[in-house]
Structures are given as C-alpha cells and as structure tokens.
Amino acid sequence: MAKLPEIRLCVGTAGPQNLIATVWVASLLDAQLLEVRLAGILPHLRIADRAVALRAVKLMGRLLDAEGRAVGYEQVDVWA
C-alpha cells in the first residue's frame, strides 16, 4: 500500500478493524477504482467503512498558480 501515490496515511490499530488509511483522490469514481486495485493487491483486505471529506480545511488559504501548485498562503478565518 505504501507504494500507491493516493495513500497519505496508513496506520495499524488494535481491534477487529486493524488498519486505517487516509487517501486523496480526485473523485468518488477514483475512490472506487482505488478500492478495486487494493482488492487485487491484497485479496484478504475487507473494507469495513469509508468516509468522504469534500474539502480539507487544512489546505484552505493556499494560493495556487495556473498549474495548481502552491505558491503562497493567505490567512483564512474559518470561524468567521
């Protein structure tokens, strides 16, 4: 899993669901395609649950150039 570029965080936990992964994908279709790829790579993997965040507040305030690269930052008051 560590070699997949979509995987941002993968940690082991105690309990019946013993792995948590955070992934970044461009669309819900990409999320489903990633699950299919993971099932092919890890045949014993069972996905118990999933949650979708439509935007990451941590990324708010980034100024992007025409190619989508971060070039600066502007303070954002998320509580306003």
Side-chain angles (χ1 to χ4, degrees):
M1 283 181 66
K3 293 182 180 181
L4 298 174
E6 299 91 346
I7 304 291
R8 299 296 179 188
L9 173 71
C10 186
V11 295
T13 63
Q17 287 79 38
N18 58 5
L19 186 70
I20 296 174
T22 300
V23 302
W24 286 0
V25 292
S27 69
L28 290 175
L29 175 61
D30 290 338
Q32 184 179 13
L33 293 174
L34 177 61
E35 288 182 11
V36 170
R37 271 188 13 225
L38 287 171
I41 297 168
L42 305 165
H44 297 295
L45 176 72
R46 273 189 298 146
I47 297 173
D49 196 6
R50 68 193 52 77
V52 176
L54 298 179
R55 66 179 183 168
V57 175
K58 183 176 178 181
L59 299 176
M60 288 176 49
R62 289 286 186 180
L63 302 175
L64 307 177
D65 65 10
E67 295 176 355
R69 295 187 180 119
V71 294
Y73 182 82
E74 184 172 308
Q75 186 67 32
V76 176
D77 183 5
V78 296
W79 304 110

